[in-house]
Amino acid sequence: MVSLAATFGRGAMTNHWRDIRHADLILVNGANPAEAHPVGFRWLMRAKLDRGAKIIHADPRFTRTSAVADTYIRIRTGTDVAYFGGLINYVLANRLHHDEYVRWATNAGFVVKEGYAFKDGMFNGYDQEQGVYNTKLWAYETDGNGHAKIDLDHPRSVLNLLRAHYQRYDPDTVARITGIPREQFLQVARLVGEMGRPDKVMTIVYAVGLTHHTTGVQLIRSGAILQLLLGNMGRPGGGMNAERGHANIQGNTDHAISWDILPGYLRIPAPGQKDIKAYLDESASIKHHPRAVNFFGENYRRYLVSLLKAWYGDAATKDNEFAFDYLPKPAANASWISIFDQALRGKMQGVMLSGMTATSIGPDSNQVLQALSNLKWLCVMDPFATTSSEFWQAPGMDPSKIQTEVFMLPATHWIEKDGSFTNSGRWVQWKEQVLPPEGEARHDHWILAELFQRVRDLYQSQGGKFPDPVLRMTLPYLNPRKPELDEIAQEINGRDLKNGRRLMTFVDLKDDGTTSAGDWIYTGHYPEEGNLAKRRDGVQDPGRNDPSGMGLYPSWAWSWPANRRILYNRASADENGRPWDPERPGIAWVNGKWEGDVPDYPPTTGPGPDAPLPFIMTGEGVGRLFSNAVADGPFPEHYEPIESPIQNPLHPQVSATPVAYRYDERAGRPNRFGTVADYPYVATSYRLTEHEHYVTQNVEHLVQLQPEAFVEVPAGLAREKGIETGDRVRVSSRRGKLEVRAVVTKRLGPLEIDGRQVYQIGIPIHWGFVGINTGQHWLANALTPFVGDASARTPEYKAFLVDIEKL
């Protein structure tokens, strides 16, 4: 989310599943869609079978995706910046970039402010004491209006700095870091180099295999930069397509499941922001180009005020800054790992878990178990017992020494309620309840509503510090203790408060208190005509339901924003409004209007040299090759995982990123990081087709299909260790161990990394000490390090060091 927003303005899958069939080349990195997203994978296969598209799969492990790919590349986990960096270097060195697109639709010509530097693995602006960069120093040279100076030939132009930055990523260096043989890399580079032609288009498909690293933001951003150089953003068949894990992970982030945002990706206010103006000064993007629309920045106040009116109704007035004071302003990071770090420090009294299990998904699960033991209380809302609700039964735990009071509140499963799912491609689709709830199970939003009402009752009867945010919260539902999801969907959509009618578009949102919207990007999904997420006009009549012939199906469900199917689609046509490839148009200016998809652009504004630039969500008006919206560098740079078998060949003295957040070290605890001397093998975690995370350990037939925890061991390493399939092995890291069955396989193999042979071991994540097979108590994350990415604090689940021995 951070990486795409920093590059294009929004943090979401840019195209949609059906659109992948329009691609000529598909790079799959950090993903296994054939097994993890089998329904969506059909569109990769349609591209292959119908268009002759090539699929290139880069992954540490040969999977079912690899089996149908045209090229499988075995890559060392966590080194995709070097892989993409080599492709960027190849494209630039051979002048294969889409020059017209790059000049018009990217910040290639923006001149970077004097003082920017990168040397020996460090960018300028590093604060040694705090362990962070001052990202404001990564700025443009500006004129008196705050607009960036533009000169493509300037030595500090973004394009020239980019070219210099990636010159180091030659094929031999890529091979040395990633393990991809030089000639195989060049074969891929030649295919990628063709994708800068207007009549060609490539897409990049990725998932948590790129995200779950201390450099996850930069791994993804490096692919995004490549796509901008090739002119593939905004185009049918192009884009950066993030596969979301569950059907509603996208909906969760849209509605602010993350601590640092409000619904619609508005930033959470910070201490010291005493009014809306101070908040906007720090949050809303500013205009860096006279032709930038800067849509998000210019309308930020409208969306915030409309959100506050949805939450606080009549209590939010112009005189009290629309109840801006009621919003929390956290002074410290409150991301997932940070919560449990606070519990480890004894600074957290209680935690509520809903729809997730901390002990299984948290890094260094032995420390998470200790963190839960430090709490006064733990409340778990879930349809099933979890490794968190039963954490005190984990092997090695002594219940007599654990004083945590555990509350288990049975919640309904998603099949027991209606509501919407938002899929990877931002399509909001309404589902119906399949089964009635069993026993005493309640919907989780009913549990939270009841809890809120009881807290409110306590404030009313007993008082308390600053009760207004609780007492004045609006709950405009027929039964505030049991709101219907349909009611909440209408509230999210928003209303014109002067007449009470639901709005059709976020363009109608105001900053004067006359409109409300629970999430501005969803405004329009439930207008007066009804719930558009329920629409099902699809393939039963393609001629009528897909008039563009491009698979947009605009009357099937609804996609945010504004029912737009491809983000940034203004860039699918040239400066004059003509599609780069007439056979695959996104939008086109025809007879005085835009045709095709819903334009991601002022809808009545025509093209031309004085027209607004194509990326309306950035202050620059263009896609960002250079960006200061991430914490670890304006250009992606290869850094080794925190635990690595080698020192970084590019800069051995700064091997790992200097701004990764090392929780143990910051808390005064000893670092629990292993070295290659003691843990000589690289491990990576992954999912299996038969299981969905941990919940399916309660499904008998799926447990029969995959009944027992195991690790995959490459055949060569197994021979060295005398291990055969079925043997019990101990896999250990600096933090913990697994004692499970071995599966000896050729799906994993040796790589030559910086002159030495390196093996990688594969670890499925699904088992624990609850479920049908209660003896399978091994938690895969007992092995993973307690460390986070600098921008998002994402844990490093996909690259760490282990040892293995036969038992």
Side-chain angles (χ1 to χ4, degrees):
M1 186 177 78
V2 175
S3 51
L4 298 187
T7 310
F8 311 120
R10 302 183 184 95
M13 184 174 180
T14 59
N15 295 46
H16 59 91
W17 282 106
R18 293 185 67 94
D19 181 67
I20 295 173
R21 70 188 176 100
H22 296 302
D24 297 306
L25 182 64
I26 303 169
L27 300 189
V28 183
N29 281 68
N32 178 17
E35 299 183 65
H37 298 83
V39 177
F41 188 68
R42 66 180 296 198
W43 302 111
L44 283 77
M45 293 304 296
R46 288 264 58 90
K48 179 181 172 72
L49 297 173
D50 298 344
R51 293 192 57 83
K54 303 293 186 184
I55 300 175
I56 298 172
H57 188 214
D59 199 276
R61 190 172 63 103
F62 189 93
T63 68
R64 289 182 174 95
T65 300
S66 314
V68 296
D70 296 273
T71 302
Y72 166 65
I73 298 171
R74 179 165 285 138
I75 186 173
R76 180 166 64 100
T77 181
T79 63
D80 300 77
V81 167
Y83 170 66
F84 286 127
L87 295 175
I88 290 169
N89 182 42
Y90 182 88
V91 166
L92 290 174
N94 293 283
R95 301 193 175 277
L96 297 172
H97 60 285
H98 189 164
D99 186 67
E100 186 180 350
Y101 183 106
V102 168
R103 288 171 180 268
W104 170 61
T106 80
N107 64 349
F110 286 45
V111 176
V112 175
K113 190 175 182 179
E114 191 171 5
Y116 165 77
F118 175 79
K119 184 179 180 182
D120 298 331
M122 300 291 293
F123 293 94
N124 64 304
Y126 183 66
D127 184 326
Q128 184 75 39
E129 184 176 336
Q130 297 297 320
V132 298
Y133 284 114
N134 180 359
T135 61
K136 293 181 180 180
L137 297 179
W138 306 329
Y140 304 121
E141 190 171 299
T142 58
D143 61 20
N145 296 316
H147 297 152
K149 179 180 178 180
I150 298 176
D151 179 359
L152 192 67
D153 297 322
H154 193 285
R156 293 197 311 277
S157 75
V158 166
L159 187 62
N160 282 329
L161 292 176
L162 184 77
R163 185 178 283 113
H165 188 84
Y166 285 106
Q167 280 179 344
R168 298 165 297 134
Y169 290 79
D170 59 83
D172 290 329
T173 300
V174 172
R176 186 180 171 193
I177 294 171
T178 66
I180 301 170
R182 183 181 192 278
E183 287 307 312
Q184 188 182 38
F185 170 77
L186 286 171
Q187 290 172 9
V188 172
R190 284 188 280 269
L191 288 173
V192 169
E194 295 179 13
M195 298 300 117
R197 292 163 32 190
D199 63 338
K200 294 287 186 180
V201 69
M202 175 181 85
T203 191
I204 295 177
V205 175
Y206 71 93
V208 293
L210 289 192
T211 308
H212 287 168
H213 296 273
T214 50
T215 54
V217 167
Q218 297 292 25
L219 267 65
I220 297 163
R221 227 181 82 71
S222 58
I225 289 172
L226 176 63
Q227 286 291 72
L228 281 174
L229 290 173
L230 295 171
N232 288 329
M233 293 308 304
R235 296 186 56 189
M240 287 292 293
N241 290 314
E243 304 173 332
R244 307 310 297 260
H246 291 297
N248 216 30
I249 293 295
Q250 185 65 57
N252 281 341
T253 52
D254 296 343
H255 296 315
I257 197 68
S258 180
W259 76 277
D260 57 337
I261 55 174
L262 300 172
Y265 301 98
L266 302 169
R267 290 176 65 177
I268 195 80
Q273 295 173 357
K274 297 185 181 300
D275 54 32
I276 292 178
K277 182 183 183 304
Y279 166 75
L280 294 175
D281 287 345
E282 292 295 321
S283 304
S285 56
I286 61 174
K287 200 167 184 173
H288 287 298
H289 193 288
R291 290 196 287 133
V293 174
N294 192 25
F295 186 86
F296 199 19
E298 295 293 324
N299 292 287
Y300 218 97
R301 180 183 169 89
R302 297 184 182 198
Y303 306 146
L304 175 71
V305 171
S306 295
L307 175 65
L308 290 169
K309 290 297 293 184
W311 283 352
Y312 292 107
D314 292 340
T317 67
K318 184 177 181 180
D319 291 339
N320 70 356
E321 287 279 300
F322 299 103
F324 179 75
D325 282 351
Y326 296 174
L327 293 179
K329 299 168 182 64
N333 186 284
S335 60
W336 195 98
I337 315 181
S338 299
I339 291 171
F340 290 93
D341 176 60
Q342 290 297 303
L344 273 172
R345 298 186 191 207
K347 296 182 179 181
M348 185 75 64
Q349 291 196 31
V351 169
M352 296 182 67
L353 299 176
S354 177
M356 54 83 77
T357 176
T359 49
S360 294
I361 73 167
D364 194 349
S365 55
N366 288 320
Q367 287 213 120
V368 174
L369 287 166
Q370 181 59 52
L372 295 179
S373 302
N374 291 353
L375 298 173
K376 288 185 178 180
W377 57 267
L378 171 69
C379 178
V380 177
M381 296 182 290
D382 207 278
F384 302 101
T386 72
T387 54
S388 295
S389 68
E390 308 295 317
F391 81 92
W392 41 275
Q393 297 195 49
M397 301 292 282
D398 183 352
S400 67
K401 296 180 180 179
I402 299 172
Q403 300 303 307
T404 309
E405 186 172 10
V406 180
F407 301 92
M408 179 65 183
L409 302 181
T412 51
H413 189 275
W414 62 263
I415 64 174
E416 297 174 312
K417 54 189 173 185
D418 62 355
S420 65
F421 275 162
T422 305
N423 73 2
S424 301
R426 299 166 286 102
W427 290 22
V428 187
Q429 302 176 82
W430 198 265
K431 60 185 179 62
E432 304 299 332
Q433 183 185 55
V434 178
L435 299 170
E438 293 187 5
E440 297 184 69
R442 294 189 190 183
H443 301 320
D444 45 8
H445 63 288
W446 286 5
I447 294 172
L448 292 172
E450 176 69 25
L451 179 62
F452 177 82
Q453 291 291 350
R454 294 192 187 193
V455 170
R456 174 180 273 182
D457 292 344
L458 288 172
Y459 269 111
Q460 288 174 332
S461 64
Q462 300 178 15
K465 290 185 178 179
F466 196 31
D468 290 0
V470 174
L471 296 182
R472 297 191 177 189
M473 175 73 72
T474 60
L475 295 168
Y477 315 122
L478 188 63
N479 182 350
R481 280 182 154 82
K482 293 185 177 181
E484 296 298 327
L485 290 173
D486 186 83
E487 294 178 287
I488 296 173
Q490 294 183 47
E491 183 182 19
I492 288 170
N493 181 88
R495 296 180 184 274
D496 182 332
L497 298 177
K498 292 179 293 186
N499 58 30
R501 295 176 64 83
R502 292 192 299 276
L503 296 170
M504 294 184 64
T505 170
F506 50 71
V507 175
D508 294 332
L509 293 175
K510 309 292 185 185
D511 63 1
D512 60 2
T514 60
T515 59
S516 69
D519 190 337
W520 73 273
I521 61 176
Y522 279 67
T523 299
H525 90 288
Y526 204 143
E528 285 295 308
E529 67 183 89
N531 187 347
L532 302 188
K534 291 184 175 181
R535 295 186 298 183
R536 294 295 183 268
D537 294 334
V539 295
Q540 68 269 33
D541 189 349
R544 179 179 179 180
N545 298 333
D546 184 29
S548 69
M550 293 297 294
L552 300 176
Y553 288 95
S555 293
W556 178 279
W558 187 90
S559 64
W560 71 261
N563 203 33
R564 184 173 297 120
R565 304 294 159 134
I566 298 177
L567 297 179
Y568 322 113
N569 57 35
R570 175 61 185 91
S572 69
D574 65 17
E575 195 168 3
N576 296 310
R578 297 184 296 257
W580 297 111
D581 183 356
E583 294 185 3
R584 286 174 287 188
I587 62 171
W589 185 253
V590 180
N591 298 324
K593 63 179 181 179
W594 292 104
E595 292 186 352
D597 195 7
V598 176
D600 198 352
Y601 199 65
T604 60
T605 301
D610 298 321
L613 292 169
F615 284 79
I616 67 169
M617 294 294 285
T618 69
E620 295 91 331
V622 292
R624 301 180 183 122
L625 302 168
F626 176 97
S627 175
N628 70 354
V630 294
D632 47 359
F635 293 131
E637 172 68 4
H638 168 70
Y639 293 102
E640 288 293 320
I642 291 296
E643 294 184 341
S644 172
I646 63 168
Q647 292 297 104
N648 195 326
L650 294 169
H651 28 76
Q653 300 306 311
V654 185
S655 189
T657 174
V659 289
Y661 200 87
R662 304 172 184 233
Y663 280 91
D664 289 330
E665 185 177 303
R666 296 293 185 100
R669 301 186 296 264
N671 274 330
R672 293 154 62 87
F673 301 143
T675 65
V676 68
D678 297 317
Y679 303 98
Y681 311 113
V682 176
T684 192
S685 63
Y686 56 91
R687 298 173 177 86
L688 301 171
T689 306
E690 294 80 6
H691 281 302
E692 180 192 2
H693 293 280
Y694 316 98
V695 67
T696 48
Q697 291 300 324
N698 298 283
V699 180
E700 184 175 357
H701 291 313
L702 296 177
V703 172
Q704 289 171 353
L705 289 171
Q706 287 284 7
E708 186 175 356
F710 65 90
V711 295
E712 284 194 89
V713 185
L717 178 59
R719 283 193 297 271
E720 292 180 16
K721 296 282 188 175
I723 296 169
E724 296 182 358
T725 294
D727 287 346
R728 289 189 64 79
V729 295
R730 178 183 295 118
V731 181
S732 56
S733 75
R734 177 71 175 79
R735 295 156 295 279
K737 66 180 180 180
L738 309 179
E739 293 181 356
V740 294
R741 301 285 182 190
V743 173
V744 178
T745 179
K746 294 181 180 178
R747 287 187 288 266
L748 290 156
L751 291 170
E752 185 175 327
I753 305 296
D754 199 23
R756 56 166 296 193
Q757 182 175 269
V758 172
Y759 281 111
Q760 301 184 109
I761 293 170
I763 303 175
I765 66 171
H766 304 285
W767 287 272
F769 47 86
V770 297
I772 292 172
N773 277 353
T774 55
Q776 300 301 317
H777 59 261
W778 300 105
L779 297 169
N781 284 343
L783 304 178
T784 59
F786 208 77
V787 62
D789 166 272
S791 294
R793 300 288 176 91
T794 302
E796 188 141 63
Y797 292 144
K798 300 298 182 183
F800 49 95
L801 293 179
V802 298
D803 195 9
I804 185 170
E805 56 186 316
K806 181 178 177 179
L807 294 177

